Amino acid sequence: MRVRPRITPLTAVLSLLAVLLGLVAVTPAAARPAATAAGPARTEAAAGTFRNPLNTGPDPFMTYWNGNYYLTTTQGDRIRMWRSPSLGTLLTADPVTVWTDSDASRNQHIWAPEFYRFGNRWYLYYTADDGTDDHHRIYVLESDGDDPAGSYHFKAKLAPPNHASDFAIDPGILQHNGRLYLAYAGINQYQHNGINIAPMSNPYTVSGDAVAINAAGGCAEVREGPEFLSRNGRTWMTYSTCDTGKPDYQVWMMSLADGADPLVPANWQQHSGPVFSRADDHGVYGPGHHAFFRSPDGTEDWIVYHAKTTSAYTYTDRTTRAQKITWNADGSPNLGRPLAMGATQDLPSGDPGSGTYWINDDGRSSGDGALAYTGTWNSGTGCATQCFWRDDHWIDQAGDTATFTFTGTRIALLSVRDTGNGIAAISVDGGTEQRVDFYGAIRTGETLQYLSPRLASGRHTLRVRVTGERNASSQAAFVSIDRAEVYTK
């Protein structure tokens, strides 16, 4: 639970004065001192930047095709896809359900969908079971037309003959020397979730036995989510290791020379140590299950991945993020370090721009935004890396409000969920209030609490009112204000 600030005589007097006045207005950004490394000191151009998250789901896969980014994440009982012309507006894109299944043997625990274009059709690979985890198997759908968002029809089960009845998850397609291979995590002599590779005669047929790859990983239990990059005379296979619930879930790498047979395990060269792992100073834990995509103009390589804002051992709070990668002098990919959730990044080269901007809890904004409080809100930097610019506001007094004024078409609120948080009533432009519970069984930072409906382009207000109420599991009724993300398109 959050540590409350010590109340001094001076702060008590100031708080009483604020109550008498009935309004606490945040100092305009222009009147504030220059920002430190915690944030920029000037208003920045909004059109060419974005901030994570891109989606609230885990296990992302994304590609850019024909003017749009297409993204899938694990949704459980169906496959959904998000489509947007800009990376910065994926969070507000409406999902399209591209697949549900009535077959009880494969319509539960649908995980890690990935989609690839072969010829003029798209093939969507995923894993599913009948409700029992060890019954997970890999399946593929085929599109009815040349559109990654479908529609799709069921095509085949993908099972190497030597693992026909074995657990299998996280399919990835390797294209190497003009041939296709199915890479996946499944049972082998090294792990229950170990890396296997099998030959394919076409996008929907496994044509031979799988071979096991003895991949290193810094922990014993998991090697999963294989993905591939080909450049500089080699194919680079990255994969996730450790239990995804742990903060140490991370990415390791092996490589294969062009012309070498991927079905000969000795041809894979192990890279020493993780290439993408937790960054406590950025508030990023368990960065793992990932994929790669190119910028719209094809000049940049990017990673899309899931990570958490808590160091707790949990499978919740895994959200989709993206950042640009580079290449080392030896030809290997450099995935860098995971950036803080709210870090402002340039959009991929060729991206038409999202028009998004932020409003911080202290009132500073990178666009046409402002924030005013009524009541006696607490503020401080105790949440550190869990918060945007390392600060937030919070209060538990019923009737206190925080009102954002913004110009745009939609607004998202991100803040801390906590065991001591309660229920807020949120309204747009003075309309009907919606009750939103800010409670979380595990404390997490930069969590999407609320996404407004789509609005007519123009000036709007969003009010957060503290109700003083809480659910039966919560220890208190605090409401946290951290970052608002405004969308103008």
Side-chain angles (χ1 to χ4, degrees):
M1 203 164 105
R2 190 191 305 276
V3 177
R4 305 296 159 197
R6 182 173 63 91
I7 304 298
T8 65
L10 176 59
T11 56
V13 171
L14 292 175
S15 297
L16 176 60
L17 179 60
V19 171
L20 293 174
L21 290 174
L23 176 67
V24 178
V26 176
T27 306
R32 296 182 177 276
T36 65
R42 59 181 177 82
T43 298
E44 58 194 86
T49 60
F50 79 100
R51 283 149 298 282
N52 287 312
L54 305 183
N55 188 275
T56 57
D59 304 334
F61 184 86
M62 185 158 62
T63 192
Y64 183 86
W65 184 78
N66 202 23
N68 283 288
Y69 298 88
Y70 291 83
L71 169 71
T72 54
T73 62
T74 288
Q75 297 293 299
D77 63 347
R78 65 197 61 211
I79 298 174
R80 286 194 178 108
M81 190 173 288
W82 289 261
R83 173 175 51 200
S84 174
S86 175
L87 194 69
T89 50
L90 271 169
L91 184 64
T92 60
D94 294 322
V96 176
T97 297
V98 300
W99 185 250
T100 57
D101 202 327
S102 59
D103 188 323
S105 70
R106 58 172 193 252
N107 65 358
Q108 298 185 57
H109 303 151
I110 299 173
W111 297 346
E114 299 194 0
F115 49 100
Y116 302 80
R117 185 173 185 259
F118 299 113
N120 61 353
R121 291 291 182 267
W122 291 84
Y123 293 87
L124 200 159
Y125 303 83
Y126 64 99
T127 183
D129 67 22
D130 58 2
T132 300
D133 182 35
D134 263 352
H135 295 171
H136 265 105
R137 304 292 184 265
I138 292 172
Y139 304 97
V140 59
L141 311 175
E142 183 182 65
S143 68
D144 298 318
D146 194 3
D147 185 345
S151 58
Y152 284 90
H153 59 269
F154 184 82
K155 191 65 175 177
K157 178 182 178 181
L158 297 177
N162 61 333
H163 291 293
S165 300
D166 290 342
F167 171 87
I169 62 171
D170 293 359
I173 301 299
L174 167 60
Q175 302 175 62
H176 186 72
N177 294 338
R179 298 193 61 187
L180 298 179
Y181 300 85
L182 174 68
Y184 66 97
I187 292 174
N188 62 31
Q189 62 265 45
Y190 306 113
Q191 286 94 22
H192 181 276
N193 293 27
I195 301 296
N196 294 325
I197 301 177
M200 303 180 75
S201 56
N202 58 45
Y204 49 86
T205 306
V206 172
S207 57
D209 286 347
V211 299
I213 306 299
N214 188 11
C219 60
E221 66 266 28
V222 170
R223 310 288 185 266
E224 62 187 17
E227 295 294 331
F228 302 94
L229 286 167
S230 295
R231 183 181 287 191
N232 305 323
R234 300 192 74 81
T235 290
W236 309 89
M237 178 173 69
T238 53
Y239 55 94
S240 301
T241 76
C242 303
D243 186 329
T244 190
K246 293 181 177 179
D248 291 314
Y249 192 60
Q250 58 193 250
V251 178
W252 284 56
M253 183 169 71
M254 304 180 81
S255 68
L256 177 75
D258 286 358
D261 186 350
L263 298 178
V264 176
N267 287 342
W268 289 95
Q269 179 180 329
Q270 181 70 58
H271 182 281
S272 178
V275 292
F276 201 62
S277 58
R278 63 188 285 175
D280 295 32
D281 56 330
H282 292 166
V284 180
Y285 304 94
H289 196 116
H290 64 287
F292 300 103
F293 66 98
R294 304 298 297 274
S295 61
D297 66 4
T299 64
E300 296 172 348
D301 294 294
W302 286 67
I303 184 173
V304 60
Y305 63 98
H306 78 229
K308 300 183 292 188
T309 58
T310 175
S311 60
Y313 187 171
T314 176
Y315 297 100
T316 64
D317 188 48
R318 295 177 295 164
T319 58
T320 290
R321 304 125 187 253
Q323 62 190 70
K324 188 169 73 171
I325 69 172
T326 59
W327 293 84
N328 296 313
D330 67 358
S332 62
N334 185 339
L335 306 191
R337 298 186 70 233
L339 297 173
M341 173 81 92
T344 294
Q345 302 180 61
D346 290 336
L347 286 165
S349 182
D351 189 300
S354 62
T356 60
Y357 64 91
W358 49 259
I359 306 172
N360 191 39
D361 67 282
D362 66 0
R364 285 177 286 185
S365 177
S366 63
D368 186 14
L371 175 59
Y373 296 94
T374 65
T376 56
W377 288 73
N378 304 295
S379 65
T381 58
C383 63
T385 58
Q386 286 192 313
C387 287
F388 187 62
W389 284 19
R390 297 173 175 260
D391 61 0
D392 69 340
H393 280 62
W394 66 95
I395 196 66
D396 62 349
Q397 298 301 305
D400 287 2
T401 65
T403 300
F404 293 87
T405 304
F406 62 97
T407 299
T409 60
R410 210 165 194 187
I411 188 169
L413 297 184
L414 297 100
S415 67
V416 171
R417 279 192 185 149
D418 203 353
T419 57
N421 281 3
I423 295 169
I426 298 179
S427 59
V428 177
D429 295 336
T432 303
E433 290 185 328
Q434 176 180 335
R435 291 168 63 85
V436 177
D437 195 345
F438 282 47
Y439 167 80
I442 297 173
R443 178 186 169 91
T444 58
E446 288 264 48
T447 303
L448 180 65
Q449 307 278 22
Y450 173 80
L451 181 62
S452 78
R454 297 188 186 279
L455 307 168
S457 180
R459 194 75 166 163
H460 300 281
T461 60
L462 181 138
R463 189 182 75 163
V464 181
R465 180 177 64 85
V466 181
T467 67
E469 300 169 348
R470 58 188 173 94
N471 69 47
S473 299
S474 183
Q475 303 170 35
F478 287 91
V479 170
S480 172
I481 298 296
D482 184 17
R483 165 165 66 111
E485 193 76 15
V486 178
Y487 300 84
T488 63
K489 296 183 179 182

